[in-house]
Amino acid sequence: MPGIEDDVAGLVHECQEFVELICRGRNPLELVSKKTRMDYAKLTLGLVRKAQRSGTDLMAMVLATSRSSSYHKRMAAVRYLLATQHQQLLFEAQTRYCAEERSDLEWFRRWRNHCGLLRGYHDRQKLGFTTTRRKRASKRRALRGLPDDWRDQLCVRARNGKYAYAMLVAALEAAARQSFGRVLSSRVSNTLKVLKS
């Protein structure tokens, strides 16, 4: 079927252009360690499963996060998956060409689906991370439930560590802000006793 042959050839050419745009002249398959490849495979498999369960596409799952680090890791994993899939399709195309095997409707569908994934990835890559990040909850409220001597307890725990002096300074600054006079001098003497022991 010459019509399908031409369509497949056009899709192969279009996919190759998308891969070059997405990878920006670098080969993502060469830049990745074995451990990272395993992480990417596990991550993309999970994203594909979530997309199938929720009835959405893969790129919607990539965007379903409020953390930019998760988004960029997902994008890198999907880029690696798409580059691997593209390489496999090209290898299979070479094998089919050498065997003089004709293109059929299933072969055309595979290239069309691959091209759709590449196009979706490229569109998302151009937009970048657009989700607004959630504000963190204030930690000030959590301080109310601490015991009165929590600064001293921290100094005791950190006295042999590399942050002993930093804890001492923090305790002294907080005590100075809290009150002056007798409370400050007793807290300083208690903290110094703790550090010396």
Side-chain angles (χ1 to χ4, degrees), residues 29-154:
L29 304 178
E30 293 174 356
L31 302 172
V32 179
S33 69
K34 185 177 179 180
K35 183 182 180 309
T36 305
R37 269 181 276 186
M38 291 170 57
D39 289 346
Y40 283 173
K42 194 165 35 171
L43 180 60
T44 51
L45 185 62
L47 290 172
V48 167
R49 285 182 180 158
K50 283 181 187 177
Q52 287 172 343
R53 269 186 267 135
S54 64
T56 60
D57 65 338
L58 179 62
M59 294 316 295
M61 284 291 105
V62 169
L63 196 58
T65 181
S66 60
R67 299 186 61 186
S68 64
S69 59
S70 297
Y71 166 79
H72 290 294
K73 184 172 183 177
R74 289 176 180 185
M75 287 292 281
V78 172
R79 180 176 55 237
Y80 179 78
L81 168 83
L82 291 174
T84 304
Q85 185 180 39
H86 186 71
Q87 191 176 46
Q88 289 171 346
L89 283 171
L90 285 177
F91 178 75
E92 197 173 331
Q94 182 71 25
T95 308
R96 290 170 77 99
Y97 178 76
C98 291
E100 296 182 8
E101 194 176 326
R102 289 278 184 215
S103 296
D104 56 1
L105 201 53
E106 178 60 30
W107 183 238
F108 172 75
R109 281 191 192 120
R110 286 177 65 193
W111 275 104
R112 188 181 61 197
N113 290 343
H114 180 60
C115 193
L117 286 171
L118 288 170
R119 184 179 292 114
Y121 183 92
H122 180 61
D123 292 345
R124 170 65 16 219
Q125 189 181 39
K126 283 193 297 188
L127 291 174
F129 183 65
T130 56
T131 307
T132 55
R133 205 171 162 180
R134 289 187 315 241
K135 282 192 168 185
R136 289 187 180 155
S138 172
K139 294 178 186 170
R140 186 174 290 266
R141 278 182 259 142
L143 291 176
R144 290 185 191 138
L146 291 174
D148 291 336
D149 66 337
W150 68 271
R151 291 181 188 90
D152 296 332
Q153 291 177 18
L154 270 177

Side-chain angles (χ1 to χ4, degrees), residues 153-168:
Q153 291 177 18
L154 270 177
C155 286
V156 168
R157 288 187 66 194
R159 75 173 163 228
N160 295 329
K162 67 178 183 179
Y163 296 111
Y165 292 114
M167 290 295 178
L168 175 62

